[in-house]
């Protein structure tokens, strides 16, 4: 984009937001084009968020059917499995047919408009077809990342009330087999509601099938019709639920609706990646996360850009995997996470420079702050100093990208997401909620105005939705992020200021980890904070107090790790468990996390005032044992 094109967009939004937002909606095919754009208020007594409310459309038709006339036989996605060179391409016609078959099977299982379907799948083409099939018949998909435990899976199934689960026999990543079907079986034992489990064959492992409940996809696929009409959906009908961790309690089911989400993804994909006819887009994110929804699947498909579905890891079979794959497939845009960049940077330049990477024209990052050192390596080595980098800041709740430099229009700064996209209104506030104006300032990041891709509610708990995002700073959406606005007015996200830890770009709630730890019979109390980690960005540091008379040991650490794996999943296992005789508390019994954070960060000279503690001695002990 040129600077004047960007200026024109900002100007168009400022002068007539209604016309601006309706204009963006023209990127989609609507059964009925909306006359309304945004209708929203963050005020407590009149809270509502609606976009394009009188519009009618279907997202699956927008991703598939509208391409059939012009590019039915072109590649829609490339399946790139764990073992290089064993993948294949899927055309629009094939993906359309597979989606329709899935949709017809779901219908046979009694799934209709508004029903929830849980997906627990590897990154296989059937996963894309299953998501699109839900969208096609108006069912609400909720994808659960394959790294979550059966207990987490069951919690999500119960929370959204899904009666159908789609899974695979096993996953295969980094050479390791992941027992997806066995995990679903275990989840079904914990959850009462599942009536049907559809099992796709990935590895061919011999998995037990439950008579009357489990269906093998391959047993039905052939007989199912490759045609299924797309259900006309109201713009505000829910499209998907994605569970994400917050500061309190169990994960929240973030709800996105059809019209606004689709407009925002189509718009941001266009502005940020400026798709061209010869593009091959590779977003490495798993569909279990929002990045996988928005930019592995929906964004590219909406634009008719072939997308890579990567079912492997960047270090398998060796640390050249990404670069080898880019050359072999001819990838033009790579969109990945800082944690992957840091891990590969550690391996030196040779594994990168052994491959040409000539097909690349743009690099992107997402998911966590990128440290300037990693940014420079990405730019200088991966990009040969010739490729722009889009450092895109956004969240599960925002649906799509909100802040990023735009190649050609914004000058890049290593580590800064720089500036909001047109229509996005960031502001910084202090602890009391007063807006911090001017430049060269820091504060908590809020958004003053709604945008089409904004989360609409927390599934089943609208009050929690309003409390979580709109009451800390009344009248504003609070992101949970801290942020600096530099002297030029550019934004630098500094990380979460709430009790969310960003481990390798994955959100983990401290409260969830704490409750997993205290589930162990010997644990009296646990407090979990973030500690800086070279590769993961942040690691989990757990302070654990045992019941009287018990002592910590390596064996107990292993048991506690197993507890976290069982209740949440391996991704939430603490980097460090520190046994503590006591936790620093105020006289009213509140744990002083601020002090624990400083201890975990090793900033021992910045513990601050400890005189208000009920027992200041515990801090000395924690520092000694660190
Ligand atoms: C962090 C992922 C700095 C941030 C799309 C946010 C970032 C959280 C960036 C959301 C970035 C994401 N720079 N921080 N470019 N992108 N974050 O919901 O703390 O998994 O609040 O969505 O990741 O994580 P989520």
């Amino acid at each position: 984009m040129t600077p004047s094109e960007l200026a024109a967009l900002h100007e168009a939004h400022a002068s007539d937001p209604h016309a601006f937002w309706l204009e963006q909606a023209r990127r989609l095919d609507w059964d009925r084009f909306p006359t309304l754009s945004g209708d929203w208020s963050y005020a407590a007594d009149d809270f509502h968020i609606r976009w394009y409310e009188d519009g009618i459309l279907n997202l699956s038709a927008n991703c598939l059917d509208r391409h059939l006339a012009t590019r039915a036989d072109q590649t829609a996605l490339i399946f790139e499995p764990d073992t290089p060179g064993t993948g294949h391409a899927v055309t629009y016609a094939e993906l359309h047919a597979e989606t329709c078959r899935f949709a017809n099977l779901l219908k046979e299982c009694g799934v209709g408009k508004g029903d929830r379907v849980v997906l627990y799948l590897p990154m296989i083409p059937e996963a894309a077809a299953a998501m699109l099939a839900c969208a096609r018949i108006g069912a609400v998909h909720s994808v659960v990342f394959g790294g979550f435990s059966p207990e987490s899976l069951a919690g999500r199934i119960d929370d959204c009330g899904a009666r159908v689960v789609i899974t695979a026999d096993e996953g295969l990543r980094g050479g390791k087999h992941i027992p997806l079907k066995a995990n679903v079986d275990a989840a079904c034992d914990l959850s009462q509601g599942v009536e049907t489990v559809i099992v796709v064959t990935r590895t061919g492992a011999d998995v037990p099938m439950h008579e009357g409940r489990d269906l093998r996809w391959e047993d039905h696929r052939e007989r199912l019709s490759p045609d299924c009409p797309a259900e006309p959906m109201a713009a505000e009908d829910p499209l998907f639920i994605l569970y994400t961790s917050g500061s309190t309690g169990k994960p929240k089911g973030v709800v996105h609706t059809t019209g606004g989400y689709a407009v925002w993804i189509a718009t941001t994909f266009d502005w940020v990646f400026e798709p061209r006819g010869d593009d091959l887009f590779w977003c490495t994110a798993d569909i279990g996360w929002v990045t996988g929804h928005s930019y592995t699947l929906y964004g590219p498909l909406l634009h008719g850009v072939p997308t890579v579905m990567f079912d492997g890891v960047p270090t398998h079979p060796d640390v050249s995997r990404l670069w080898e794959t880019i050359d072999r497939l001819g990838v033009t845009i790579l969109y990945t996470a800082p944690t992957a960049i840091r891990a590969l940077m550690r391996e030196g330049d040779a594994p990168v420079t052994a491959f040409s990477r000539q097909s690349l024209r743009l690099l992107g990052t997402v998911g966590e702050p990128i440290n300037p050192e990693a940014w420079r390596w990405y730019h200088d080595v991966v990009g040969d100093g010739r490729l722009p980098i889009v450092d895109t800041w956004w969240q599960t709740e925002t649906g799509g990208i909100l802040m990023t430099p735009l190649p050609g229009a914004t000058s890049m700064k290593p580590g800064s997401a720089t500036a909001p996209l047109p229509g996005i209104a960031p502001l910084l506030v202090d602890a009391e909620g007063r807006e911090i104006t001017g430049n060269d300032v820091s504060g908590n990041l809020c958004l003053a105005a709604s945008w089409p891709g904004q989360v609409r509610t927390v599934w089943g708990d609208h009050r929690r939705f309003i409390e979580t995002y709109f009451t800390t700073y009344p009248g504003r959406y609070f992101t949970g992020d801290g942020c600096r606005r530099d002297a030029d007015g550019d934004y630098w996200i500094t990380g979460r200021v709430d009790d969310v830890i960003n481990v390798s770009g994955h959100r983990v709630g401290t409260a969830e980890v704490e409750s997993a730890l205290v589930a162990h019979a010997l644990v009296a109390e646990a407090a979990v904070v973030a500690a800086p980690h070279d590769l993961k960005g942040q690691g989990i540091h757990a302070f654990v107090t045992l019941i009287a008379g018990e002592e910590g040991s390596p064996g107990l650490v292993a048991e506690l790790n197993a507890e976290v794996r069982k209740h949440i999943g391996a991704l939430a296992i603490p980097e460090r468990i520190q046994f503590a005789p006591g936790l620093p508390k105020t006289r009213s019994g509140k744990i002083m996390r601020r002090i624990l954070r400083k201890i975990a960060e090793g900033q021992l000279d910045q513990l601050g005032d400890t005189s208000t503690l009920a027992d200041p001695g515990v801090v000395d002990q924690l520092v000694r044992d660190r």
Side-chain angles (χ1 to χ4, degrees), residues 244 289-291 365-370 391-397 417 479-481 493 495-496 502 505-507:
T244 191
W289 309 110
V290 74
T291 310
T365 83
V366 56
E368 40 170 334
I370 182 163
D391 174 355
T392 62
W393 171 81
W394 56 294
Q395 312 180 294
T396 304
E397 294 88 340
T479 63
D481 279 325
I493 309 297
R496 303 290 304 197
N502 195 327
H506 301 154
R507 278 167 69 165

Side-chain angles (χ1 to χ4, degrees), residues 152-397:
S152 287
L153 176 60
R156 285 153 167 84
I157 292 170
D158 285 341
D159 188 82
C160 72
R163 287 176 294 117
V164 174
V165 175
I166 307 177
T167 190
D169 48 4
E170 288 184 323
L172 179 60
R173 251 184 222 188
K176 288 198 206 85
H177 291 249
I178 303 145
L180 296 175
K181 172 62 164 63
N183 287 352
V184 170
D185 289 342
C188 289
D189 291 342
L190 297 168
S191 145
Q192 300 319 309
V194 178
E195 291 164 10
T196 307
V197 177
I198 301 172
V199 185
V200 179
T201 301
R202 167 74 177 91
T203 64
D206 184 20
V207 291
M209 298 292 280
H210 288 239
E211 188 72 38
R213 189 197 70 187
D214 299 351
L215 300 177
R216 256 188 207 283
W217 167 239
E218 286 72 15
D219 292 346
H220 295 266
R221 190 178 169 277
E222 288 298 317
R223 66 167 182 85
L224 292 160
S225 164
D227 276 309
C228 172
E231 185 77 26
M233 302 297 289
E236 281 297 325
D237 282 339
L239 173 69
F240 69 84
I241 303 170
L242 190 55
Y243 286 87
T244 191
S245 294
S247 355
T248 53
K250 58 182 183 134
K252 295 184 288 282
V254 165
V255 176
H256 283 288
T257 56
T258 309
Y261 173 81
V263 169
W264 192 236
I265 297 314
T267 303
T268 54
F269 192 84
D270 182 25
W271 286 344
V272 179
F273 302 111
E274 297 188 281
R276 297 179 194 165
D278 59 348
D279 271 328
L280 176 57
F281 187 81
W282 187 8
C283 169
T284 61
D286 191 283
I287 47 153
W289 309 110
V290 74
T291 310
H293 283 60
S294 300
Y295 300 108
T296 307
L297 190 70
Y298 288 123
L301 287 179
L302 281 170
H303 282 272
V305 171
T307 182
V308 178
M309 276 188 91
F310 180 44
D311 200 20
V313 296
T315 49
H316 179 85
D318 59 49
V319 295
S320 281
R321 178 61 190 270
L322 297 188
W323 328 120
E324 180 273 327
T325 304
I326 286 167
D327 278 9
R328 176 163 41 82
L329 301 179
V331 172
T332 60
I333 304 174
L334 176 68
Y335 190 35
T336 192
T339 187
I341 298 166
R342 286 191 297 264
L344 297 172
M345 176 171 78
R346 194 175 61 162
E347 306 291 336
D349 301 358
V352 185
T353 54
F355 294 88
S356 91
R357 293 153 285 116
Q358 277 308 307
S359 55
L360 286 174
R361 66 170 183 86
L362 179 61
L363 302 173
T365 83
V366 56
E368 40 170 334
I370 182 163
N371 44 314
E373 191 198 359
W375 191 99
R376 287 205 184 85
W377 184 81
Y378 198 33
H379 183 261
D380 296 347
V381 179
V382 175
D384 284 322
R386 72 183 170 94
L387 303 179
I389 296 179
V390 288
D391 174 355
T392 62
W393 171 81
W394 56 294
Q395 312 180 294
T396 304
E397 294 88 340

Side-chain angles (χ1 to χ4, degrees), residues 408-431:
T410 324
S411 45
M412 300 180 289
K413 286 182 184 174
S416 169
T418 65
L421 292 173
I424 301 303
L427 82 163
L428 302 183
V429 297
D430 65 17

Side-chain angles (χ1 to χ4, degrees), residues 122-144:
M123 288 288 283
I124 52 179
E126 289 85 350
M131 287 171 78
L132 291 161
C134 290
R136 194 162 191 90
I137 62 172
V140 180
H141 60 68
S142 186
V143 185
V144 178

